[in-house]
Amino acid sequence: MIKLTIPGFGLLEIRRVVTDYTGTHSFKGVVRKSVRTRLARLGRLVEVHVLTVDTFGTARRELARLPIELHFLTAAKRNDKEKQRFVLKNEPKYVAAFGNGTIDGLMLKTVRDAGGLAVAVDNGEGCSLDAILNANILVHGAEQALDLLLEPNTSKATLRF
């Protein structure tokens, strides 16, 4: 578990990370070594669940041997609802959620409204307005997103009031 006490915001107890893959932690389907290293560190601290349609068909290869659980979504379904159902089943108050797309907006909103941490991530492929408006924080780059949990003072500086 990761515990963050943020003045004015409160206590965040992160037990699991639920994240998008394409455009959030990968760029054009590829995960940088620095992101892999951070995902490995994070996976030793909390459960990490990657939810993806896998647009580029690279997720299995790019995330191999990392301490994460990979979940493939059904492209024919409403992926925003699938992601929301997943976080609802996993105590959204104790979730840090990461996403960049319109299909991530509902997941981010659910986590944010429950008191968890919702992060919109622009990893070079853009970030939808829906994701931005439903997040606690917008960051540029997957490394910065993961560092919010791995380097707690970054979260405090952004969320304190």
Side-chain angles (χ1 to χ4, degrees):
M1 180 184 330
I2 297 171
K3 287 187 178 184
L4 306 170
T5 302
I6 302 169
F9 187 86
L11 175 65
L12 282 172
E13 292 183 41
I14 305 301
R15 298 179 185 170
R16 61 196 54 84
V17 168
V18 179
T19 183
D20 176 53
Y21 171 73
T22 305
T24 300
H25 293 300
S26 71
F27 177 75
K28 296 183 181 178
V30 177
V31 178
R32 289 184 299 276
K33 183 178 179 181
S34 56
V35 175
R36 287 182 54 80
T37 300
R38 284 169 172 82
L39 284 170
R41 282 180 56 204
L42 193 58
R44 290 190 291 273
L45 299 172
V46 296
E47 295 175 20
V48 178
H49 299 271
V50 177
L51 283 58
T52 184
V53 177
D54 198 16
T55 304
F56 292 92
T58 61
R60 192 176 312 280
R61 180 190 74 227
E62 291 291 312
L63 300 173
R65 294 183 299 282
L66 288 175
I68 59 127
E69 291 187 39
L70 185 56
H71 307 267
F72 291 97
L73 303 176
T74 308
K77 292 188 178 181
R78 289 270 318 261
N79 299 128
D80 61 337
K81 295 282 190 185
E82 282 185 276
K83 289 182 177 192
Q84 181 190 40
R85 280 192 297 275
F86 189 89
V87 295
L88 284 170
K89 291 178 184 175
N90 282 282
E91 301 176 285
K93 177 182 179 176
Y94 302 108
V95 167
F98 298 93
N100 75 312
T102 301
I103 67 169
D104 299 313
L106 193 52
M107 170 183 70
L108 294 171
K109 181 182 185 330
T110 301
V111 169
R112 184 199 66 203
D113 290 352
L117 180 63
V119 182
V121 183
D122 175 3
N123 195 38
E125 294 180 16
C127 195
S128 78
L129 185 58
D130 197 43
I132 293 168
L133 292 175
N134 286 298
N136 299 104
I137 302 173
L138 165 65
V139 297
H140 299 284
E143 293 89 349
Q144 289 77 15
L146 297 169
D147 283 348
L148 290 171
L149 298 177
L150 295 170
E151 307 293 337
N153 285 333
T154 58
S155 298
K156 289 179 186 178
T158 303
L159 291 173
R160 72 179 330 132
F161 60 90

